[in-house]
Structure formats: structure tokens, C-alpha cells
């Protein structure tokens, strides 16, 4: 067998995700010299990050499970930690409600609960890895951290949101997008339309309507991370990925500073999930429909929102 046919045979046997990692590695190597010609942040960092990510993925794809793993908690201790985590979350809610702000004590307890949550996921025995319970803890943690910030702050958090709420109020007053026809968001009004529709449907103030629409969705996006990771790595690491993502500082930032960038983050993760799922599912048309819908939604959000994440 000649070398060319041998290489072609290996490519035909390779999984689509492995081929994608190989293509990404080639692109990273091709783009790497550009970092010496420009100081632009994406040109400098993208080839390096893409290359390292592809190498790690290829190494993981070739690796096999080892007999010696992490030490594990006992089943009783794992269940006790679950109770302790929910108790800690309840204490965080109580402190935010009573003190009316996120105090240092609130932050300290949040840090301890986050460490316990991540440690439980990493060190729980295999028979105690219950996705429903652990994902529930991650989602509740996300809600507590974000809504404690939203509802203990008068007005809105951030700067840009004040401009966007002004545009939304203009649309509400005229019941037409023509109110912002001279503003660049006229071509990408999805965020503003969601806020207007929520205000009308819920019969609430703009602030509460925004919090109970986009604000409720943002703490749920770690589920997209879990769903994507579950197709690529074992259960434990999928749960860990969701937990780490939920605790990320920038993820929390866009969960409390609710602007079009937040929607860009949401739609990007939805696109990533549907794209990865389409490479592992036999019914690819469903995932293709989701991918098309999310891609269309991205078109209706400002371009910078798609690039932030």
C-alpha cells in the first residue's frame, strides 16, 4: 500500500471531530507567523489558543482511561455535601434579602459553595454522579449569584444598558421600530424587541420584564456547555465544565449586565451545541434547524455581540 492511500484510509476512518481538530491545528500553524506582523489582539492570541486547544483535543482523543484516578468521597459524604450546598445557597439568598447588598460575607459563602460544588463533582464516586442533582445545583448557584446582584442594585448594572433601555422606551412609546431608525440597532433589534414584548406580555416595568426574560435565560446557558461537553467527554468532566463556566467572571458579568452582548453569548453556545450534536447524531436535520435558527438570531444581534465570546 502506497503512503498516499494509507493516509487517505486513515482520514476516512477518523471521526469528524478529530478531522476538525486536525484542520484547526493546520490553520493555527498557518496563522501563527501573522502574530509577528501585527499586534492586533486576535491575531496574536487566536492561533496560539486554537493550536493548543486542538492539540489537547487530539491528545484526549488518543488517550485511554487509566486505572488510577482521582480520590473519591464516600457516598454518604457526597450526599451530605449536596445538602450543605443547597443550605449554603439558601443562606446566600437570606443574606442578600436581609442586607440588601452583596456583602463580603455573601461573597465568602458564595466562594465556599462554589468550591464545594466543584469538589463534589470531581470527587464523587461514579455511582453518585447524578446529573440531575448536580446540574440543579449549578443552575441554582447561577440564579442566586446573578439575581442577588440584579435585585440588590437600584436601577441597572453597567453603563451600556442605560442607552439600550432608552431605545426600548422609545419603541414602547411609539409602538414602532421607526423610533430608532436613525440608530445602528435598527438593523439588529432582537434584544430591544424581546424587552418590548416581555414588557407587554408580563405587564411589568421594563426593568423587571428584562430581568424575567433575558435575565432568567442567562443562568441556564451552562446547560448548553454541559450538553456540548457530554457529547465529547465523560459525564464527570461535562458536569465540571458546566460548573466552571457558570462560575466564570465574564459569564457572570454578561448575566448581570444584560445587553445585546449577553444574547450573543447565548446564541453562540446554542450554535456550538447544535453543531457538535449534528456530528454525533443520526437525526441531523433537527440540529441543523436549531443551528439555522440560532445563526439567524445572531444576525439580528449586533456583530460585536457575536465576537465577544
Amino acid at each position: 500500500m502506497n503512503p498516499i492511500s494509507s493516509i487517505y484510509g486513515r482520514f476516512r476512518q477518523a471521526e469528524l471531530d478529530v478531522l476538525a481538530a486536525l484542520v484547526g491545528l493546520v490553520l493555527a500553524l498557518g496563522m501563527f507567523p501573522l502574530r509577528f506582523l501585527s499586534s492586533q489582539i486576535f491575531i496574536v492570541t487566536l492561533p496560539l489558543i486554537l493550536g493548543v486547544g486542538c492539540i489537547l483535543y487530539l491528545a484526549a482523543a488518543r488517550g485511554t482511561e487509566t486505572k488510577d484516578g482521582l480520590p473519591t468521597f464516600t457516598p454518604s459524604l457526597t450526599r451530605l455535601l449536596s445538602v450543605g450546598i443547597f443550605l449554603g445557597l439558601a443562606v446566600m439568598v437570606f443574606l442578600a434579602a436581609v442586607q440588601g447588598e452583596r456583602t463580603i460575607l455573601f461573597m465568602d459563602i458564595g466562594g465556599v459553595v462554589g468550591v464545594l460544588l466543584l469538589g463534589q463533582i470531581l470527587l464523587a464516586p461514579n455511582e453518585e454522579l447524578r446529573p440531575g442533582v448536580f446540574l440543579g445545583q449549578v443552575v441554582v448557584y447561577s440564579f442566586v449569584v446573578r439575581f442577588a446582584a440584579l435585585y440588590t442594585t437600584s436601577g441597572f448594572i453597567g453603563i451600556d444598558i442605560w442607552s439600550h433601555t432608552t431605545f426600548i422606551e422609545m419603541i414602547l412609546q411609539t409602538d414602532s421600530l421607526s423610533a430608532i431608525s436613525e440608530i445602528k440597532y435598527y438593523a439588529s433589534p432582537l434584544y430591544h424587541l424581546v424587552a418590548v414584548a416581555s414588557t407587554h406580555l408580563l405587564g411589568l416595568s421594563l426593568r423587571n420584564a428584562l430581568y424575567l426574560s433575558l435575565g432568567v435565560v442567562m443562568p441556564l446557558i451552562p446547560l448548553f456547555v454541559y450538553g456540548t461537553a457530554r457529547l465529547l467527554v465523560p459525564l464527570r468532566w461535562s458536569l465540571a465544565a458546566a460548573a466552571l463556566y457558570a462560575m466564570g467572571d465574564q459569564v457572570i458579568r454578561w448575566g448581570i449586565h444584560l445587553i445585546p452582548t449577553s444574547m450573543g453569548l447565548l446564541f453562540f453556545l446554542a450554535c456550538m451545541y447544535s453543531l457538535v450534536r449534528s456530528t454525533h447524531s443520526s437525526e441531523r436535520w433537527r440540529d441543523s434547524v436549531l443551528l439555522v435558527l440560532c445563526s439567524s438570531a445572531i444576525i439580528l444581534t449586533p456583530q460585536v455581540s457575536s465576537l465577544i465570546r
Side-chain angles (χ1 to χ4, degrees):
M1 181 180 295
N2 62 63
I4 296 179
S5 61
S6 176
I7 295 174
Y8 178 72
R10 291 186 178 182
F11 271 107
R12 290 189 60 184
Q13 295 176 1
E15 295 291 338
L16 185 58
D17 55 337
V18 175
L19 290 176
L22 288 171
V23 172
L25 182 58
V26 172
L27 290 175
L29 291 174
M31 292 187 296
F32 187 80
L34 296 177
R35 69 198 313 268
F36 301 109
L37 303 177
S38 173
S39 59
Q40 209 279 336
I41 183 64
F42 290 112
I43 295 177
V44 172
T45 59
L46 182 59
L48 184 61
I49 295 173
L50 178 62
V52 171
C54 291
I55 291 173
L56 290 176
Y57 187 88
L58 291 171
R62 288 178 56 86
T64 57
E65 294 184 359
T66 59
K67 294 182 179 179
D68 298 326
L70 293 171
T72 58
F73 293 141
T74 61
S76 58
L77 179 57
T78 302
R79 298 190 189 101
L80 183 62
L81 281 176
S82 294
V83 175
I85 288 170
F86 282 116
L87 180 61
L89 292 170
V91 172
M92 291 173 66
V93 173
F94 175 78
L95 288 175
V98 171
Q99 298 177 337
E101 61 179 340
R102 293 171 294 162
T103 61
I104 295 178
L105 179 59
F106 177 91
M107 301 294 187
D108 290 341
I109 295 178
V112 171
V113 171
V115 170
L116 291 177
L117 175 57
L118 190 59
Q120 181 190 36
I121 292 173
L122 293 176
L123 302 179
N126 291 332
E127 62 272 15
E128 291 295 323
L129 278 177
R130 294 164 292 175
V133 175
F134 288 179
L135 283 177
Q137 293 173 352
V138 171
V139 170
V140 173
Y141 183 87
S142 298
F143 269 98
V144 170
V145 171
R146 287 154 179 79
F147 273 82
L150 293 173
Y151 278 107
T152 59
T153 303
S154 58
F156 297 102
I157 297 176
I159 298 175
D160 292 351
I161 190 171
W162 293 96
S163 300
H164 288 290
T165 52
T166 300
F167 304 149
I168 295 169
E169 289 172 351
M170 292 167 60
I171 298 173
L172 285 170
Q173 291 173 1
T174 61
D175 283 330
S176 173
L177 273 176
S178 61
I180 60 171
S181 59
E182 302 298 325
I183 302 171
K184 63 180 180 179
Y185 297 108
Y186 180 72
S188 52
L190 184 58
Y191 168 87
H192 307 86
L193 291 177
V194 168
V196 169
S198 300
T199 303
H200 283 306
L201 292 174
L202 299 177
L204 299 172
S205 65
L206 173 56
R207 178 173 180 265
N208 287 326
L210 186 59
Y211 288 173
L212 295 180
S213 54
L214 183 57
V216 168
V217 174
M218 293 307 294
L220 298 176
I221 59 176
L223 297 179
F224 279 122
V225 177
Y226 169 78
T228 304
R230 192 69 186 92
L231 298 169
L232 303 173
V233 295
L235 174 60
R236 186 185 307 275
W237 302 112
S238 303
L239 294 169
L244 287 171
Y245 193 84
M247 300 174 192
D249 56 348
Q250 292 297 315
V251 179
I252 295 175
R253 174 186 177 184
W254 299 120
I256 61 178
H257 186 198
L258 298 172
I259 60 175
T261 302
S262 305
M263 299 188 74
L265 176 61
L266 168 66
F267 293 136
F268 171 79
L269 289 173
C271 285
M272 182 64 68
Y273 169 73
S274 57
L275 181 61
V276 173
R277 183 177 169 82
S278 66
T279 65
H280 291 76
S281 174
S282 58
E283 299 181 2
R284 298 185 179 183
W285 67 270
R286 295 180 181 177
D287 305 295
S288 299
V289 170
L290 178 60
L291 181 60
V292 170
L293 289 176
C294 293
S295 300
S296 301
I298 287 179
I299 296 174
L300 296 176
T301 58
Q303 292 82 353
V304 68
S305 301
S306 307
L307 294 174
I308 289 294
R309 290 292 107 195

